[in-house]
Amino acid sequence: MRILLSNDDGFDAPGMETLRRIAEALSDDIYVVAPAKEQSGASRSLTLHDPLRINKFSDREYSVEGTPTDCVMMAMNYLFKDKQPDLVLSGVNRGGNLGEDVLYSGTVAAASEGTLLGVRSVAISQCILDSDVIHWDTAGEMAPEIIRKLLETPWGDDVLMNINFPAVAKEDVSAIKVTSQGKRDLSNLTIDDRVDARGRDYFWLGYRPSFGDPSVGTDLRAVISQEVSVTPLKLNLTEQKLAARLNKVFE
C-alpha cells in the first residue's frame, strides 16, 4: 500500500514524526509532501497569487511553500503523478479538529483534497489540554489498528475519516466511538487586542481550552469522555431534504 503523508503543522512538526510511525506500521511505501511552515487554519485555500516552491529532501520527501491543499495537489498531479497513493494520511495535528474546526482545519483540508482526487484519506489529530504534556504516543500507537479496520469497510464517494485522540495516555482511553460532527460553544473564542511598538492595534485569535457541554454522540463529547472519536465526513454539503422542498417552491 502506497501512503502519502501531509499535515498543516509543517514538514518538521512533531506530529509528522508520529504520522511517519503510524504509516510505517501500515506499509513501507511512504511519501511525504507537507507545508514548509505551519499552515494551521488554512482550510482548503490554494496559493494562486504567489509561486509555489518545492524543497526536495529525498526522492520520497518534499516540502511545499504553500498550503496543505497545495501539497496534496502537487504530490498527486506533479511529484508522484505516475505513482498515485492508495491512502492519504494527514496529521498528526497538534490539537483536536472537532466540531466547526473541520471547516477551518488544514489537516482536514489535506485529507479532503485526497478524497476529491479519488484516494481514501484520513485526518488524524491529537487533542491537548496542556501544551507541555502532549500524548503523541496515544495517536501513534492506536491509529494503525483503527485505520486497518476502517480500510476493511467501504466508505462511499466523497467521504473522509476524521480521527481525534483524547488528551490522555493510551492506557486511559476508555473506548473508540463513531461520532457526528459537534458544535462548539463559540463563547470560548478569545480576541486578544494589543498595541505594537508603532502604536498600531493588532489582535490574536484563539480558543480557551474548554469543550463546554457538547451533545452526546458528537466528536466533542467523545474526547472529553476520554474516547477516540472517529467521524466520517462527507464533502458534498448540499442539504438534500431542504433542496427537495425548494424544488416544489420553484416549480
Side-chain angles (χ1 to χ4, degrees):
M1 180 168 58
R2 178 164 288 139
I3 304 177
L4 172 65
L5 309 184
S6 194
N7 67 4
D8 72 354
D9 285 338
F11 184 89
D12 294 321
M16 177 56 75
E17 291 306 312
T18 303
L19 191 65
R20 284 188 175 94
R21 288 197 287 120
I22 293 168
E24 288 166 357
L26 300 168
S27 175
D28 59 3
D29 192 11
I30 299 166
Y31 296 80
V32 179
V33 184
K37 62 180 181 180
E38 184 175 350
Q39 294 285 329
S40 295
S43 186
R44 288 182 57 201
S45 61
L46 293 171
T47 301
L48 300 177
H49 302 289
D50 294 294
L52 287 177
R53 303 188 189 280
I54 298 175
N55 307 300
K56 180 177 180 179
F57 299 94
S58 73
D59 288 340
R60 294 189 176 207
E61 295 199 347
Y62 298 79
S63 71
V64 175
E65 295 179 12
T67 69
T69 301
D70 293 331
C71 291
V72 176
M73 290 184 69
M74 293 301 295
M76 296 180 64
N77 293 295
Y78 179 73
L79 292 170
F80 310 125
K81 63 181 179 181
D82 298 323
K83 299 180 180 180
Q84 292 292 295
D86 303 296
L87 176 67
V88 173
L89 298 181
S90 179
V92 173
N93 193 66
R94 183 182 182 277
N97 279 302
L98 304 155
E100 294 86 350
D101 296 347
V102 302
L103 299 176
Y104 307 125
S105 168
T107 304
V108 174
S112 298
E113 190 62 24
T115 300
L116 284 173
L117 295 173
V119 178
R120 292 218 270 188
S121 303
V122 182
I124 306 171
S125 302
Q126 177 61 58
C127 295
I128 58 175
L129 292 175
D130 181 347
S131 60
D132 293 326
V133 182
I134 304 177
H135 296 280
W136 294 115
D137 286 347
T138 303
E141 294 177 18
M142 296 189 69
E145 185 57 29
I146 293 173
I147 294 169
R148 288 189 190 99
K149 290 182 177 180
L150 289 173
L151 293 177
E152 292 171 358
T153 304
W155 299 0
D157 296 332
D158 295 329
V159 174
L160 64 102
M161 295 292 170
N162 185 35
I163 306 176
N164 282 273
F165 290 89
V168 297
K170 177 186 175 183
E171 57 269 22
D172 295 323
V173 173
S174 60
I176 300 170
K177 291 291 181 70
V178 177
T179 62
S180 60
Q181 179 185 340
K183 182 175 177 57
R184 283 188 182 277
D185 177 359
L186 296 183
S187 66
N188 288 333
L189 174 67
T190 63
I191 301 177
D192 185 5
D193 56 315
R194 304 183 185 184
V195 179
D196 68 17
R198 296 186 178 183
R200 295 178 300 184
D201 294 334
Y202 70 100
F203 305 89
W204 284 106
L205 299 181
Y207 284 96
R208 289 185 291 271
S210 171
F211 293 108
D213 185 24
S215 300
V216 173
T218 64
D219 49 9
L220 289 159
R221 173 61 67 178
V223 298
I224 66 173
S225 301
Q226 299 187 358
E227 299 167 343
V228 178
S229 168
V230 179
T231 311
L233 299 176
K234 193 168 181 62
L235 296 183
N236 189 325
L237 302 180
T238 307
E239 173 42 69
Q240 297 291 352
K241 292 181 180 179
L242 178 57
R245 296 201 301 272
L246 290 175
N247 278 331
K248 296 179 180 179
V249 170
F250 292 104
E251 284 179 350

